[in-house]
Amino acid sequence: MQLESLKMFCDVVETGSFSRAAQLNHVTQSAVSQQIRALENRYEQKLLSRSARQVTPTPAGERLFRGCKEILARFAEVEQEIREQATEVQGATTVSTIYSVGLHELNVVQKQLLKTHPKVNMRLNYRRNDQVYDDVILGAAEIGIVAYPQPRAGVDILPFRDDKLAVVCAPNHAFASKTKVSITALSGVPFIAFDREAPTRKALDRLFREKNIDINPVMEMDNVETIKRAVEMGLGVAILPLATAHAEIKNSSLVAKPFAEGPVSRPIGLLIRKGKYLDRASAAVLEAFKQAALIPHED
């Protein structure tokens, strides 16, 4: 019996799906089924209960799952201890992030990482908010980045920083000549909004309701880059994290204005799988995020 078989069994139990376990192990669904059958033949009893919606462990399967998790965790620790005997930290770490954190934010982290650990590679996956949580829980990413982080089973949340929000418009828009823009001034103005399921959109909708402002978006998009392009074309104004529009503001293709009512910001959080052992490369990336959080934003 190989450790790969035990890992596949654990992945099936944790995801409740043969197909998802196959994806995580880069094999076919048939290969996963064969490994499970081999385990059931070895122990001469059913280990998994299959239904139309989900796969769940039998009592015997649950006991095997708990034992396997302990074995796999200990083996991973031993392997890592051996690898970490090297004097220099190196390796790759996958980070899943929402689009609207922006390259500006991550460039600061990359520069910090290059300065402290030049042989550590941070691989970025741009994902929707819920997908970031899934990636961290399922082990497809070591670190996740989300806006307005919410507690979820299996995930630890670390604060990263707050993103300042601003009203963004084209240079020829009426708002461009103002020093500040009141939230109430957005009523009736063509508005380019985030997708309805985006946490930033939900937070802004709450703000509008609190101020009794009626906003009717002319467009809804799930990508901050496409929102910026629509605003540049004069199709409407938007509320965006200021850090995501630095390049366009510098090039004068967009203008950003603070809120007359005072600063409005959104929290950004880092996600780590609960109980997960971070190897040295992942720990170095996490430390780079912590150091980058101490660097003031360019406003």
Side-chain angles (χ1 to χ4, degrees):
M1 181 168 52
Q2 297 180 338
L3 288 173
E4 287 79 4
S5 300
L6 301 182
K7 182 180 182 304
M8 286 184 197
F9 172 73
C10 289
D11 287 340
V12 172
V13 173
E14 288 183 319
T15 63
S17 167
F18 277 77
S19 60
R20 186 62 177 141
Q23 293 174 355
L24 290 173
N25 290 275
H26 307 290
V27 297
T28 64
Q29 186 172 331
S30 175
V32 175
S33 297
Q34 290 175 16
Q35 295 292 344
I36 300 303
R37 280 198 300 271
L39 287 174
E40 291 180 329
N41 290 336
R42 178 185 179 91
Y43 297 112
E44 298 181 349
Q45 55 185 309
K46 296 285 288 183
L47 298 174
L48 298 173
S49 176
R50 301 163 177 82
S51 66
R53 291 187 176 182
Q54 194 173 25
V55 179
T56 56
T58 64
E62 181 64 34
R63 179 66 189 91
L64 181 62
F65 171 72
R66 293 197 302 270
C68 287
K69 288 296 290 183
E70 293 174 6
I71 293 170
L72 292 171
R74 181 56 188 146
F75 181 73
E77 290 176 3
V78 171
E79 274 198 318
Q80 195 57 40
E81 288 170 4
I82 294 172
R83 291 194 185 102
E84 289 182 357
Q85 291 177 358
T87 56
E88 188 171 14
V89 181
Q90 55 186 316
T93 295
T94 300
V95 176
S96 285
T97 176
I98 56 172
Y99 293 97
S100 61
V101 166
L103 291 176
H104 173 79
E105 296 268 6
L106 298 178
N107 275 343
V108 176
V109 179
Q110 291 274 27
K111 289 177 181 178
Q112 180 66 31
L113 187 63
L114 185 62
K115 182 168 63 175
T116 56
H117 300 289
K119 290 191 176 181
V120 173
N121 178 27
M122 184 172 71
R123 297 171 179 167
L124 296 176
N125 288 335
Y126 283 91
R127 309 278 273 164
R128 293 176 64 92
N129 199 75
D130 282 347
Q131 292 172 329
V132 175
Y133 284 91
D134 290 341
D135 282 353
V136 172
I137 292 171
L138 296 175
E142 284 71 42
I143 299 170
I145 311 173
V146 295
Y148 300 96
Q150 298 295 318
R152 189 172 296 190
V155 169
D156 286 325
I157 299 172
L158 304 176
F160 176 42
R161 69 190 312 162
D162 288 341
D163 266 348
K164 184 178 290 186
L165 300 179
V167 177
V168 178
C169 63
N172 59 354
H173 193 276
F175 286 170
S177 60
K178 296 181 178 294
T179 303
K180 297 181 179 180
V181 175
S182 173
I183 296 174
T184 58
L186 296 174
S187 182
V189 175
F191 190 73
I192 313 297
F194 282 101
D195 181 83
R196 292 176 185 271
E197 295 304 312
T200 302
R201 168 66 183 277
K202 292 179 179 179
L204 289 175
D205 284 347
R206 286 194 296 270
L207 176 63
F208 295 144
R209 286 194 298 270
E210 291 170 3
K211 301 291 184 179
N212 294 316
I213 301 171
D214 185 22
I215 296 292
N216 294 309
V218 295
M219 302 179 75
E220 297 175 333
M221 302 176 177
D222 64 358
N223 188 313
V224 70
E225 295 301 317
T226 53
I227 292 177
K228 289 190 293 184
R229 300 294 85 78
V231 174
E232 285 176 333
M233 294 169 63
L235 300 179
V237 303
I239 295 177
L240 295 177
L242 190 57
T244 68
H246 273 300
E248 289 81 6
I249 294 169
K250 184 176 181 180
N251 295 332
S252 300
S253 63
L254 287 177
V255 176
K257 297 296 178 178
F259 292 96
E261 292 81 357
V264 177
S265 60
R266 65 171 189 172
I268 302 297
L270 304 177
L271 306 180
I272 306 293
R273 182 173 175 175
K274 192 177 292 293
K276 181 179 177 62
Y277 170 79
L278 290 181
D279 59 26
R280 292 176 74 197
S282 298
V285 172
L286 185 59
E287 182 60 27
F289 272 100
K290 292 178 180 178
Q291 293 301 316
L294 302 176
I295 301 174
H297 269 310
E298 296 177 19
D299 293 335

